[in-house]
Amino acid sequence: MRYSLITATLASGVFAARPFLNEPDTGIVDALGASFPVGSLPDIKNMNYTYYRNGAGGEWSYRNNLEVYNRYRFKPRMMVDITKVQDSLPTSILGHNFSAPFYISPCARADYAHPEAEINLVKGAAAAGILYIPSLYSHLPMETIAENAAENQTLFAQLYIPNNDTQTQTYFDRAEKAGYKALVWTIDSPGDASRQRAARFDVGSSNVELTRNTWEDLEKYRSMTKLPIILKGVQTAAVAKAAIEHKVPAIVLSNHGGRNLDGSPSALEVAIEMYQEDPTMFQKIEVYADGGVRYGSDALRLLALGVRAVGIGRPFMYANAFGQPGVEKVAQILKGELIGDSANLGVPDLKKIDAEVVNWTPNGWYS
Ligand SMILES: Cc1cc2nc3c(=O)[nH]c(=O)nc-3n(C[C@H](O)[C@H](O)[C@H](O)COP(=O)(O)O)c2cc1C
Ligand SMILES: *[C@@H]1O[C@H](CO)[C@@H](O)[C@H](O)[C@H]1NC(C)=O
Ligand SMILES: *[C@@H]1O[C@H](CO)[C@@H](O)[C@H](O)[C@H]1NC(C)=O
Ligand SMILES: *[C@@H]1O[C@H](CO)[C@@H](O)[C@H](O)[C@H]1NC(C)=O
Ligand SMILES: *[C@@H]1O[C@H](CO)[C@@H](O)[C@H](O)[C@H]1NC(C)=O
């Protein structure tokens, strides 16, 4: 922080002119063009793409979610035997075993990419051995999604909990009956979001009422269901600490992919705040995180602080334009990157990655 005055002065001219790359130009579009027959690229119409891509307000939190990882450079360890790192990819999430420390975040409206909608996501997750958390606002009912699950597949159900307890009880009962193993209560959007990019196509937020989300409600909801309740959308160390005090089994650090409150922090910034306050918080509660995770190296920064699993939203939604194979491909690429990146970082066991492999002094224009 002591750099702030100097860098602010130096950066002021540069910053205004700095272009924002929506996605880094990796040349992937050309590569796809070469290896796919012409016409086989996904036909995601502007409205559909815009609904997925959209962020709130000026989309600064959306941008920050993507850019934050590169503010923290690695300190790669050399001369380490990393040849067994792939054995450390499998992990457990709330006691359920999965093949990798990442999962499909809950995203509404999978029909915007593919007519089979969430069926591709649930089957793709089964084939990849990863967790899928269907959104309450999925195109298909939660029962239909669960019916398409593999026999031994674990699903958690994302819920927005309304002010009406009768309706809430119905959601809880449906999720239990359909075989979901946990409820993921999204607490980061009690109000409406201003989604201006999406509003142009009338596919902005549909939050109709101000929603009461309190610790008293949590106690009440626990008496209404047998399922464990996870909190999604924790954005400060203080709320993480309160979750531990309230014996919440797991939290998701998330700003909803930058879709709700513009200016809300990225999951990595919240994880850093928690780590600085008390690194043992990550042992006292299972911590998951999402937002802007696009590469294995992004995920490694979160895992380094003690995050147990990372969620991926948009990449799976976009990939669903290719159906189930697209979903599986994202999982396969990310597994490969986690293995390769941790090897290059000198981390032989993903479960033992620690905060020392990252230089936590932010580089660039932001410190
Ligand atoms: C199209 C779309 C719809 C979403 N719908 C929901 C939802 O219904 N419930 C929820 O808790 N989060 C929802 N989210 C937020 C995601 O669960 C997740 O927090 C976010 O997408 C992670 O950021 P990423 O897309 O950059 O990976 C949605 C995100 C997107 C992109
Ligand atoms: C989950 O994995 C652990 C450790 O690898 C193993 O001991 C346990 O039997 C597995 N549980 C299930 C239900 O497969
Ligand atoms: C866009 O979404 C609409 C609404 O579900 C759907 O009918 C349409 O087929 C989608 N377009 C594409 C190209 O997937
Ligand atoms: C789930 O079942 C399939 C076959 O239906 C099997 O191949 C796979 O190993 C099982 N996975 C777990 C985690 O038990
Ligand atoms: C609460 O939900 C139930 C079931 O959906 C409905 O019948 C009832 O009218 C609702 N109550 C209020 C106050 O809106």
Side-chain angles (χ1 to χ4, degrees), residues 90-92 95-98:
T91 196
S92 72
H96 304 278
N97 288 350
F98 298 98

Side-chain angles (χ1 to χ4, degrees), residues 110-179:
D111 58 314
Y112 272 37
H114 196 282
E116 297 286 314
E118 288 82 16
I119 289 180
N120 299 325
L121 294 161
V122 69
K123 290 191 169 171
I130 58 170
L131 172 65
Y132 173 37
I133 308 175
S135 156
L136 176 66
Y137 296 140
S138 291
H139 176 63
L140 298 169
M142 63 169 97
E143 290 81 3
T144 310
I145 297 171
E147 279 159 21
N148 282 278
E151 214 161 305
N152 54 9
Q153 186 174 358
T154 300
L155 298 173
F156 296 172
Q158 182 268 328
L159 296 179
Y160 295 101
I161 303 189
N163 297 335
N164 180 335
D165 288 345
T166 314
Q167 209 183 328
T168 299
Q169 188 67 62
T170 308
Y171 287 152
F172 288 177
D173 294 347
R174 284 176 61 197
E176 267 182 47
K177 195 152 173 273

Side-chain angles (χ1 to χ4, degrees), residues 194-205:
S194 173
R195 296 178 181 171
Q196 305 194 1
R197 179 190 293 268
R200 291 170 213 168
F201 296 94
D202 201 20
V203 288
S205 174

Side-chain angles (χ1 to χ4, degrees), residues 52 103-108 121 132 232 256-257 259 289-294 310-320 330 334:
Y52 289 160
Y103 61 90
I104 306 180
S105 285
C107 293
L121 294 161
Y132 173 37
K232 174 172 182 280
H256 214 105
R259 294 166 76 81
D290 75 19
V293 176
R294 298 293 177 268
V310 300
I312 320 273
R314 293 179 184 86
F316 280 113
M317 300 307 279
Y318 296 142
N320 189 25
V330 171
L334 202 60

Side-chain angles (χ1 to χ4, degrees), residues 215-228:
W215 294 112
E216 289 73 34
D217 289 321
L218 173 66
E219 301 299 342
K220 181 176 62 185
Y221 298 152
R222 281 170 164 165
S223 72
M224 293 164 60
T225 180
K226 292 200 291 279
L227 296 176

